[in-house]
Each structure stands twice: as C-alpha cells, then as structure tokens.
Amino acid sequence: LGLPPGDLTISANRDEFAKASASQLVAGPGEQLDDVVLRLSRGGSIEGICFDDDGRTAPNRIVTAQSMAMTSQRVVASDADGAFRIDGLEAGSYQIVAIDPAMRTSGDADASAINEMFEYMKLATAEVVEGEVTTVLLGAPPSDPVEVSGRVTQGGEPYAQAMVNWLPEIGRAHV
C-alpha cells in the first residue's frame, strides 16, 4: 500500500459485520509485511418492536444502538409494524433509544425542554452476544410496574430542575 515506516494500526469494517479489532504492526524502512489478516465477524444482533404511549406499535421510529463502551453506534428505522433489527454489532452492552422523528418540543434549551424530549424517547439496555439475537421492547408498558416516588434536594432544599433516570439493570438511579 505504500505506507510510511513506523507503528501502524489497521482495522476493517463493513456493513452487516462487527468491526474487526485493530491490529498493531511495526514496519521498518523498505520492509514488506506479508500475510496480514483481519477477520470480520458477524457479531450479534438486536431486534425489537417500538411502542407508543398507548401500547400500540410505533412505525417509523429512529432507533439508535450505542455501545456502552462508546466504540460503535448504529442507527436504523422501525418498519410499518414498529419492528427493527440491527445486525453486525460487536459483543457488549448497548443502550437502545427509539425516538419519533415527528416529535415536537418547545424548542427551549432549559431543563423542562430536556425533560420534554426525554418523555418522547423509549429506552432499553441490552447485552449483545456474538452469534446471538437479543430482543428488546421499546416503550411497551411493563407487565408488573414499579412505582417510585420521592423528591430531589440539593443542600437540603427541593431542587425543581432535576431529571431522574432509573436503570434497573444497573440497580441504581442516576440524577
């Protein structure tokens, strides 16, 4: 390929495959490196169905799968039945977010606008395993809901602009 000598990092990717891990190589001046092999894997898949607030399937949602390690992100759209599938994901933990592209917010940049945006999002986490399909439901009403109530304080005083997210897979709330 005509690369300059020194430390080289090469990697490969292709649609529908998981990213190949990077290989570290060292090439001296005039040296030719032969038999360098990068192997792409099929990875794992996430499939699911998006639901609206009334429990009906939600078509045409933008679905994003972001690896918790921040190494990859994939975006697809749900079909007319609210279904989606993302193939070729590296093994690991992912956050999956579905959002209605037609959502309208106030457009303000304050905390209430951010809370309003989160109300439109449907979130889930999933563990992707090489060669397996993980299924998630985004926005489906829980079969056995848990009610959480309380108040957020800062320095002992009520704090009105707080946003609280509950992540049951991790087992603690994040404010």
Side-chain angles (χ1 to χ4, degrees), residues 31-174:
E31 182 179 5
Q32 180 173 324
L33 301 175
D34 295 319
D35 301 320
V36 176
V37 177
L38 293 176
R39 288 193 181 11
L40 295 172
S41 72
R42 291 282 177 191
S45 301
I46 295 174
E47 67 179 15
I49 300 175
C50 299
F51 293 90
D52 64 18
D53 290 336
D54 297 321
R56 296 182 304 250
T57 57
N60 306 316
R61 296 304 193 255
I62 297 170
V63 180
T64 303
Q66 172 72 53
S67 73
M68 299 290 199
M70 305 304 270
T71 57
S72 66
Q73 176 179 317
R74 300 281 293 283
V75 179
V76 298
S78 65
D79 65 17
D81 298 318
F84 66 91
R85 182 173 172 124
I86 306 171
D87 294 312
L89 297 171
E90 300 171 51
S93 299
Y94 285 78
Q95 179 177 51
I96 302 92
V97 178
I99 202 162
D100 182 352
M103 74 173 195
R104 299 286 181 255
T105 62
S106 64
D108 295 333
D110 61 9
S112 63
I114 293 169
N115 286 338
E116 184 180 0
M117 181 185 72
F118 274 103
E119 287 177 19
Y120 286 101
M121 296 174 126
K122 307 301 179 195
L123 306 163
T125 58
E127 192 67 29
V128 172
V129 177
E130 174 79 27
E132 294 184 15
V133 177
T134 303
T135 302
V136 298
L137 301 177
L138 294 168
S143 58
D144 188 17
V146 173
E147 233 177 89
V148 177
S149 64
R151 90 184 160 144
V152 176
T153 61
Q154 182 177 24
E157 296 296 317
Y159 187 73
Q161 300 299 317
M163 176 175 26
V164 177
N165 295 312
W166 183 257
L167 303 172
E169 291 83 8
I170 296 172
R172 63 178 188 248
H174 292 273

